[in-house]
Amino acid sequence: MYQPVLDAVSGSLGLTALFAALPLATLFVLLGVVRMRAWLAALLSLAVAVLVAVVAYPMPVGQALLAATEGAAFGFFPILWIVVNAIWVYNMTVQTGHFDVLRRSFARVSDDQRIQGVIIAFCFGALLEALAGFGTPVAITSVMLIALGFRPLKAASVALVANTAPVAFGALAVPITTLATVTGLPVQDLASMVGRQTPLLGVFVPMALVLIIDGPRGVRRTLPATLVCGTTFAVAQFATSNYFSVPLTDIVAALVSAAATVLLLRVWRPVDTYVEAVAPAGTGSAEPAPAEERDAPREVFRAYAPYGVIIAVFALAQIPFVKSALTSVTRTFSWPGLHLLTANGKPSTLPVFKFDWLASGGTLLIVAGLITMPLIGIGARRAWTTYLATYRQLSAAIVTVMAVLALAYVMNASGQTATLGTWMAGAGALFAVLSPILGWIGVAVTGSDTSSNSLFGALQVAAAQQAGLSTTLMAAANSSGGVLGKMISPQNLAIAAAAVGMSGKEGDLFRKVLLWSLGFLALMCVLVFLQSTPVLSWMVP
């Protein structure tokens, strides 16, 4: 039975924190400076995490390796299980040509790729985040943008930056409910607080996407559309999370913002039209179709059908009696041989592995894919061949995600993550500034706001009590700050790179989105700090 000691190095929390930061520093340096392939950088960083766990803490070698195996398993299920099956559904539409029909349909909404980028990456991506999460929006929207003619690096960057404001309420608000579970705070209070933080991001993210696509000139030319899209999303996210339904927050916000933007385009268009260069060969896209080309209504319906089916399947899965039936076969077990205590001596929940094979989003995507097959006219053999090809397409991303989650589990089990969090919690009243950064670190490591809330939620509450800060504010800041670490998470970088045919160039993508992540994080830190003072304390429920 291993119990971590958070100040294991010479009894110094600060010195131990330096060692605990080594795996993360290694990962980001290898990606951003050395430009190493993500899968190799992740494996080397995992080795550093195991070495720190064994030498600095010290954790038994066997326990460290078992923690890594559990993390790798969690990386495949449920995370990769969702991503692979989502990409499979997309690949089937490419095989049958229906994705080109969908692309032409989006082009008819607006032939301006700045507007297309906002509608697809932000609005449609938010809907996918609300239903599935775990990398699905990045995977699907990035390839949709490539199909519309975006260059791979730009498509992936736009998809990653767009996947911010909706994340805290993603997967039907699982991050919020998880945060409530680990902190003991009311779900509604936490949802209300997050709903008074992330909407601010929602206002500015559409403008950021246009800035990536076409620079400052593009922002000026499309300001009416981005303001309408961002503002309606923000208002809907705030109102739904505070007064209507926490699980439905992102679904309502995504649909309202998309509808508002489309309605605006009926009466307003940019003074010029921006069209990106034609996508390179081999990315699954032909040249953009001529504006006058129109597909039969039946083919347009079949092109939209897969995504309608996905929405319907996920919505049905939330009906109480259906959800109960799906979860009735869920199996929960302790990871064999892994015996852990927390730093305060309580049994750790980390070795508990939940195998919800039927209720998993990945399984629901398979169901959606099977329903989609006859709708788009693809046979069983061709669909199976496409499924196998999807695994080959994502092979590097699979290794990366499993290695990164293995690293996260080793850091969590050994106490490295808790050491970093406890060290930061010693900042007193200034912890209000550091609180979102702690959530950002958690998501950057695990790729999941849910996991970050599990890691640091209780720590945020304890630190808030010590510093005389609002526990609801600090816990919510963990989730709101965490969403900004999503775009630089190695697992999300790997998913985006694989989706757009850039496997091995995750470092380029990391550098492209890092400043956006840090910039939005700084904004969130200022907001949370002001909310901890009389200036904006009225915003805290």
Side-chain angles (χ1 to χ4, degrees):
M1 187 71 70
Y2 170 74
Q3 180 178 352
V5 178
L6 303 188
D7 57 354
V9 180
S10 301
S12 169
L13 185 63
L15 187 58
T16 309
L18 286 177
F19 280 89
L22 285 176
L24 299 182
T26 301
L27 184 60
F28 292 136
V29 168
L30 291 179
L31 280 176
V33 180
V34 181
R35 303 189 183 187
M36 185 177 290
R37 290 178 178 270
W39 67 268
L40 183 56
L43 288 174
L44 290 175
S45 301
L46 170 60
V48 173
V50 171
L51 187 63
V52 170
V54 172
V55 174
Y57 274 79
M59 185 180 194
V61 176
Q63 294 293 290
L65 295 178
L66 283 171
T69 59
E70 185 188 6
F74 183 79
F76 186 81
F77 186 96
I79 296 175
L80 285 166
W81 184 239
I82 293 172
V83 174
V84 169
N85 293 327
I87 296 293
W88 169 59
V89 174
Y90 157 76
N91 283 341
M92 286 196 297
T93 66
V94 172
Q95 288 290 318
T96 59
H98 287 96
F99 197 81
D100 285 332
V101 177
L102 184 68
R103 180 196 64 199
R104 290 192 287 269
S105 177
F106 272 111
R108 281 191 290 274
V109 173
S110 173
D111 55 358
D112 190 310
Q113 291 185 336
R114 298 167 298 196
I115 305 297
Q116 292 170 352
V118 169
I119 293 175
I120 293 173
F122 186 69
C123 300
F124 186 55
L127 183 60
L128 292 174
E129 180 66 36
L131 296 170
F134 292 107
T136 305
V138 171
I140 291 181
T141 60
S142 59
V143 291
M144 290 180 75
L145 293 176
I146 278 203
L148 287 164
F150 283 71
R151 295 184 185 276
L153 181 61
K154 186 174 289 188
S157 301
V158 168
L160 285 166
V161 173
N163 193 219
T164 48
V167 169
F169 294 98
L172 298 170
V174 168
I176 302 295
T177 55
T178 300
L179 186 61
T181 300
V182 300
T183 62
L185 298 173
V187 170
Q188 187 56 59
D189 286 354
L190 291 171
S192 297
M193 190 68 252
V194 174
R196 300 173 193 190
Q197 294 171 335
T198 56
L200 183 63
L201 297 175
V203 173
F204 293 105
V205 168
M207 299 179 202
L209 303 184
V210 174
L211 189 58
I212 294 172
I213 295 169
D214 190 32
R217 181 188 68 92
V219 174
R220 292 191 299 270
R221 299 290 175 87
T222 60
L223 196 57
T226 54
L227 277 176
V228 166
C229 181
T231 303
T232 54
F233 181 91
V235 171
Q237 192 181 55
F238 162 75
T240 307
S241 62
N242 278 264
Y243 306 114
F244 179 46
S245 169
V246 176
L248 297 179
T249 295
D250 275 350
I251 294 177
V252 173
L255 294 177
V256 167
S257 62
T261 306
V262 171
L263 287 175
L264 173 69
L265 294 173
R266 298 283 184 90
V267 298
W268 172 89
R269 296 277 177 171
V271 295
D272 63 343
T273 299
Y274 177 84
V275 179
E276 179 64 79
V278 177
T283 58
S285 172
E287 293 188 6
E292 67 272 9
E293 182 176 346
R294 286 195 171 271
D295 299 288
R298 180 170 179 269
E299 292 305 308
V300 174
F301 170 80
R302 295 172 74 185
Y304 279 93
Y307 304 99
V309 168
I310 289 173
I311 293 170
V313 168
F314 275 87
L316 288 172
Q318 300 308 311
I319 297 175
F321 77 89
V322 177
K323 187 174 184 177
S324 178
L326 293 175
T327 56
S328 65
V329 295
T330 296
R331 294 292 177 264
T332 302
F333 60 91
S334 295
W335 197 254
L338 187 58
H339 307 295
L340 303 174
L341 296 175
T342 62
N344 58 15
K346 296 180 180 179
S348 173
T349 59
L350 193 70
V352 178
F353 194 91
K354 184 179 180 182
F355 187 53
D356 54 345
W357 63 274
L358 191 55
S360 166
T363 304
L364 296 179
L365 283 166
I366 284 186
V367 173
L370 293 174
I371 297 172
T372 294
M373 286 167 54
L375 294 177
I376 63 175
I378 188 170
R381 176 174 294 184
R382 194 177 178 193
W384 175 248
T385 302
T386 304
Y387 190 71
L388 296 179
T390 302
Y391 274 92
R392 290 193 294 270
Q393 172 191 350
L394 297 175
S395 57
I398 289 172
V399 175
T400 302
V401 172
M402 293 178 71
V404 168
L405 266 295
L407 177 149
Y409 267 63
V410 171
M411 290 187 66
N412 298 342
S414 64
Q416 295 173 55
T417 306
T419 293
L420 289 171
T422 305
W423 175 71
M424 293 177 68
L430 286 178
F431 184 68
V433 178
L434 299 178
S435 179
I437 299 176
L438 191 56
W440 180 82
I441 291 173
V443 176
V445 174
T446 65
S448 164
D449 202 38
T450 301
S451 298
S452 178
N453 289 343
S454 297
L455 287 176
F456 293 133
L459 178 64
Q460 294 271 15
V461 169
Q465 290 170 340
Q466 293 174 14
L469 299 167
S470 165
T471 54
T472 298
L473 174 60
M474 293 301 99
N478 191 83
S479 194
S480 299
V483 306
L484 303 170
K486 189 93 169 178
M487 69 180 82
I488 63 163
S489 165
Q491 75 173 54
N492 262 22
L493 291 172
I495 290 168
V500 301
M502 287 182 57
S503 291
K505 297 182 179 179
E506 292 83 1
D508 294 342
L509 193 52
F510 174 77
R511 287 189 298 278
K512 184 79 171 177
V513 300
L514 178 60
L515 289 180
W516 288 107
S517 180
L518 295 175
F520 279 128
L521 178 62
L523 178 65
M524 184 58 65
C525 288
V526 171
L527 175 63
V528 172
F529 175 72
L530 292 176
Q531 289 174 333
S532 73
T533 69
V535 177
L536 293 180
S537 60
W538 52 269
M539 296 181 69
V540 180

